[in-house]
Amino acid sequence: MNSETTYLTDLAAVLWPCGGLLGPGDGGVRRLVRQERGNQYLPVPNARSPRVILPAHDRSAALRGIASFCRGHSFSERTRAALLTGAFATGLAPLLLRDRLYVGAGPGIEHALTSALDRRLAIAIHLGPPRANRKPVLLLLTPGGRTIGYAKVAVNDLTSRLVRAETRALRHLADARLRDVTVPRLLYEGEWNGHPLLVQEALPVGDQTDRPTRRQLLRCVTQIIELARVRERRLSDSPYRISLEERIAALGSRPEAAPLRAALRRLPDVTIPFGAWHGDLTRWNIASTARRAFVWDWERLALDSPAGFDALHYDLNECVQAGVHPGVHRWLDSGSRLLRDPLIAETGLRPHTVSTVMALYLIDLATRYLHDRQDESGGHLASVDDWLLPALEGLQERATHEAAHTG
């Protein structure tokens, strides 16, 4: 049993306290579950590397799960989704996907959600790649296959903090007035099996939406910034700077803490605008039409951060898709151009502060990764000392040069 099958077994214990067993598509386990009238789920692509968990007994829910969770933008992602859709549509999936998660009879997460929303439900589950903040996202469907919403269930201390934070964020956003951005409504908050649980509505994302263009992205970013009152402050006087110093201090004896603290203290004391940022705006959390953006996954929402962080975060994640080191090199230029765009300039961000804001973003990101122990989960951006600290060193020099030539 590898770490992923262990994770799958532990997850089953959270979602189905009545019990979940991994096994092949035939044999004694299946007969036992049939006798107890339990359900079968299919880990896709397999139990050693699960990314989604689809109901073997509900073809309609499985197909909707593929459409919702396997919506990729690359050719390989679209090809995999098409093959998987064909396998379920023709009934071949149970033959091709050999691994099973067998769930015994008794109250499980489906029963809890049915009770919370007062309607019958089917579910499909998205897991994603191994990361410290990995948690199950459940697609909630009517028996006829119509999407009702998404549920998130925490599985450990970190994901408990994130689910609670997203619940608070969705409550805050319910009163927000965003001109061109739609966010999901909070439908339910509570607990399941001792873990925080939230349910949010599904946004109308599908074939009519796509990744945002540069202008659509920046329009969305500036409206998110304005979720909080935008204030211009000297860096040394800002609550943000104090908070970031405290977060770095909380890293304790980690070897990365000292260079991060030194980098922060060497940045020029410029005046920059502070406002809100989504905290994890990537291609996986936003879709757009010509007139509107749909944004979800608000668990990292912060209301007092340097303007432009969301644009930098989106751009960095786009740049590194084909490789971290060449991607970061491109981002050092493309991120700078984004922050100099007239739309961002309207927030009050001035050209001589651009590299300072980029350096602050990297320090903030590194501190987050280290607190969440993302560096231990093998994510492509998680090795702070491999790419982030060298990039930060170059940005410090740029920031000092820019601040000295404000004219």
Side-chain angles (χ1 to χ4, degrees), residues 106-169:
I109 188 64
E110 304 96 329
H111 302 82
L113 292 168
T114 293
S115 176
L117 299 181
D118 194 26
R119 60 195 312 170
R120 288 180 58 202
L121 297 171
I123 65 170
I125 305 171
H126 180 253
L127 301 180
R131 294 187 298 170
N133 60 341
R134 185 191 204 184
K135 57 188 168 301
V137 177
L138 285 65
L139 172 65
L140 311 183
L141 301 159
T142 66
R146 186 172 65 83
T147 301
I148 297 171
Y150 291 89
K152 295 185 180 182
V153 186
V155 294
N156 54 30
D157 289 342
L158 171 59
T159 55
S160 292
R161 292 199 305 272
L162 293 175
V163 170
R164 292 190 182 103
E166 184 162 16
T167 302
R168 291 192 299 271

Side-chain angles (χ1 to χ4, degrees), residues 220-238:
C220 176
V221 167
T222 56
Q223 291 184 33
I224 291 173
I225 290 170
E226 293 169 356
L227 282 169
R229 180 182 174 188
V230 179
R231 300 173 183 267
E232 292 191 14
R233 292 189 175 98
R234 294 192 74 84
L235 181 57
S236 60
D237 297 332
S238 66

Side-chain angles (χ1 to χ4, degrees), residues 26-63:
D26 52 13
V29 176
R30 182 173 65 179
R31 287 191 294 272
L32 174 62
V33 172
R34 279 181 175 172
Q35 292 171 4
E36 296 182 357
R37 297 186 179 181
N39 290 325
Q40 296 182 36
Y41 288 88
L42 304 172
V44 179
N46 53 56
R48 297 177 302 284
S49 183
R51 295 297 177 265
V52 295
I53 303 174
L54 302 174
H57 58 283
D58 191 329
R59 185 183 302 182
S60 175
L63 288 169

Side-chain angles (χ1 to χ4, degrees), residues 242-315:
I242 296 170
S243 173
L244 185 54
E245 288 239 31
E246 291 173 347
R247 289 165 55 205
I248 295 172
L251 293 173
S253 60
R254 290 208 59 149
E256 302 91 346
L260 290 174
R261 185 181 302 109
L264 179 59
R265 292 175 179 174
R266 286 199 297 266
L267 288 177
D269 190 21
V270 293
T271 297
I272 54 180
F274 292 85
W277 80 303
H278 175 280
D280 193 23
L281 196 66
T282 67
R283 66 163 71 178
W284 300 280
N285 297 333
I286 181 173
S288 187
T289 64
R291 296 186 176 182
R292 194 146 202 89
F294 302 92
V295 182
W296 57 97
D297 282 0
W298 291 87
E299 62 193 23
R300 302 282 188 176
L301 175 66
L303 299 176
D304 188 25
S305 297
F309 270 18
D310 274 325
L312 294 174
H313 191 73
Y314 186 96
D315 190 50

